[in-house]
Amino acid sequence: MGDTRRKTTARLSSLPLPTRPAFWRSPVRGVRFTAVLGVVLLAGLTLLFVTGLVSYAAYNPDLAAVNDKTPDKGWLGFYLFDWPTEPRWLYRLNQGVHVTLGIVLVPVLLAKLWSVIPKLFALPPARSLAHALERLSLLLLVGGALFEFLTGLLNIQLEYVFPGSFYPLHFYGAWVFFAAFAAHTALKLPRALRVLRDGIPAQEDELASPDPLEPTVSRRGALAIVGAGSLVLLVTSVGRSFDPLRPTALLAPHGGAEPGPGPDGFQINKTAAKAGIVPAEAGERWRLTLVGPAGEVRLSRGQLEAMEQYAAALPIACVEGWSTSDQWWRGVRLRDLAALAGYGGEAPGVLVESLQRSGSFRTVALRDNQVRDARSLLALEVNGAALSPDHGYPARVIVPAAPGVMNTKWVARMTFGDL
């Protein structure tokens, strides 16, 4: 019995374990291979972080509580600024870059994690205080990267299924990740640049296998495979935001079918039925309520149509990364509605409420510069036809450079004044 136990123990001790360098036998791994991927991620993730912060600023979260989905952000909102209305495609470009770049970087991120995975199993876990801090930053870096990419990718798919609200999870996760990313970059970038410039002796390459298998692909070949994967994702996703490549967008917005032809044949992310819009409330009895120094002013759609109408060519761009080309909107200027509400001088900001009864951004606040822009409309028509129910009939807001959710559909009430 004792001999059997000793033999079993011996066999177990001889099994290759992830904690042993000999377990990892790929001939592709090496410090130089990892350094190339790291430099690509340094540029890509930095741009991803910056465009993410800019996207958050576009919601004007410091304007009103209804816009702020991260109310406990504190000093993390130090960079916020008044979101402009020019150029009209600003949010479309920023969010298109943010989402498309995030998708394109997935193969690079996975390859980078694969290249350093032996170090994650290295023993002892900490050889010194400095080494312990480095391992902790690595844990936050890897965990933060996976968390940010996972929540981001889930948010652009058919439904967001991650527990909790996307906005605070992604926002706070981004700061945790980028803090670890900055610390890791400060520790590793000087050596990565030296390795790329001067190379590294084989005996100093701690990522190279001590007993590699016969190579089936070179390190350059492996990098080419990673690049090809990113290129495929680029081609199949960039059309979500850039019209010339729209037919190639196999990763369609929200996984849905392309909209049909006609004046209302452009992308939406929420139908009237899904928003719970009751047809009777959006029909003949619908009235727009304006609130301001003049009290409450109630207008029917017919009365709005009798007012002077203006047109503007503006896109719709969504946080999920999809956008439309310019659509021709026609309706009443927001600043003219502010005048009806009693503001004869400079128009103030406005709180816009939708017929939609629940959900994020059923109520939004727009800044005074957004209300005053001559292209900011309460739209009644698009591309020469009345709005369809799914595009916001009987009336919707359209503002240049604003995120799609800020262009409220099925508008019921507008309160002008200090927000």
Side-chain angles (χ1 to χ4, degrees):
M1 187 71 175
D3 290 341
T4 302
R5 185 181 296 112
R6 282 194 294 273
K7 289 178 181 179
T8 301
T9 303
R11 281 198 299 269
L12 289 174
S13 63
S14 64
L15 289 176
L17 298 174
T19 54
R20 298 178 178 178
F23 180 86
W24 309 99
R25 302 189 63 192
S26 171
V28 173
R29 285 193 181 89
V31 169
R32 188 176 181 85
F33 178 78
T34 299
V36 173
L37 296 171
V39 169
V40 173
L41 286 175
L42 173 61
L45 292 176
T46 300
L47 181 57
L48 202 63
F49 181 70
V50 171
T51 52
L53 293 185
V54 171
S55 175
Y56 178 65
Y59 287 82
N60 287 322
D62 56 334
L63 177 62
V66 294
N67 290 6
D68 192 359
K69 304 306 177 185
T70 56
D72 299 319
K73 62 185 177 297
W75 62 267
L76 293 180
F78 70 92
Y79 68 93
L80 293 174
F81 56 94
D82 293 357
W83 188 250
T85 58
E86 190 64 45
R88 69 183 187 281
W89 40 259
L90 178 60
Y91 186 77
R92 183 187 187 195
L93 174 64
N94 182 84
Q95 199 62 16
V97 170
H98 181 72
V99 173
T100 303
L101 180 60
I103 294 172
V104 167
L105 286 178
V106 167
V108 185
L109 176 68
L110 294 178
K112 177 68 159 59
L113 294 178
W114 173 86
S115 73
V116 299
I117 198 169
K119 298 194 71 175
L120 300 181
F121 290 91
L123 295 177
R127 296 188 297 270
S128 64
L129 178 60
H131 186 239
L133 292 175
E134 180 185 343
R135 294 298 294 271
L136 177 61
S137 72
L138 192 61
L139 177 64
L140 293 175
L141 178 69
V142 173
L146 293 176
F147 180 83
E148 285 298 286
F149 275 79
L150 180 61
T151 54
L153 291 172
L154 285 174
N155 189 56
I156 64 175
Q157 294 309 307
L158 183 61
E159 293 290 347
Y160 179 71
V161 296
F162 209 87
S165 171
F166 167 75
Y167 294 96
L169 288 174
H170 205 64
F171 178 80
Y172 294 124
W175 279 106
V176 170
F177 162 70
F178 199 78
F181 179 65
H184 186 75
T185 299
L187 289 170
K188 299 298 184 181
L189 183 60
R191 187 185 183 209
L193 294 178
R194 283 197 306 271
V195 167
L196 292 177
R197 184 183 64 244
D198 305 326
I200 182 172
Q203 64 272 19
E204 296 180 17
D205 193 340
E206 68 272 18
L207 291 177
S209 172
D211 183 24
L213 297 169
E214 286 296 319
T216 56
V217 64
S218 67
R219 287 174 179 170
R220 287 186 179 182
L223 290 172
I225 292 172
V226 173
S230 291
L231 181 61
V232 168
L233 290 177
L234 174 65
V235 172
T236 55
S237 61
V238 71
R240 296 157 56 99
S241 303
F242 301 100
D243 292 331
L245 295 176
R246 198 171 295 275
T248 70
L250 302 179
L251 301 178
H254 276 233
E258 285 297 306
D264 286 307
F266 56 93
Q267 186 66 42
I268 60 172
N269 71 343
K270 186 181 295 182
T271 65
K274 186 175 180 180
I277 303 302
V278 178
E281 293 182 349
E284 289 296 324
R285 77 182 193 187
W286 174 84
R287 295 294 183 271
L288 170 68
T289 301
L290 304 178
V291 181
E296 286 195 0
V297 179
R298 291 170 57 82
L299 299 168
S300 68
R301 183 178 162 94
Q303 290 173 308
L304 287 168
E305 290 173 335
M307 296 176 63
E308 188 169 1
Q309 303 290 295
Y310 293 85
L314 298 172
I316 293 285
C318 191
V319 67
E320 285 93 349
W322 63 261
S323 63
T324 74
S325 56
D326 285 350
Q327 310 297 321
W328 277 98
W329 307 90
R330 189 168 182 269
V332 181
R333 295 186 302 190
L334 295 188
R335 66 190 190 187
D336 292 341
L337 295 175
L340 272 181
Y343 287 93
E346 291 291 328
V350 63
L351 190 71
V352 184
E353 298 175 63
S354 173
L355 289 173
Q356 181 180 338
R357 287 181 170 79
S358 62
S360 296
F361 299 104
R362 65 164 299 274
T363 301
V364 302
L366 299 174
R367 288 192 185 276
D368 53 1
N369 67 308
Q370 294 174 310
V371 174
R372 294 169 189 170
D373 194 294
R375 298 163 296 175
S376 296
L377 305 175
L378 181 71
L380 306 175
E381 299 179 0
V382 63
N383 298 324
L387 295 169
S388 68
D390 289 344
H391 281 296
Y393 184 89
R396 71 169 297 163
V397 166
I398 185 73
V399 174
V405 291
M406 310 296 285
N407 295 301
T408 307
K409 297 193 284 188
W410 314 294
V411 176
R413 186 181 182 91
M414 304 179 77
T415 304
F416 292 90
D418 294 332
L419 301 174

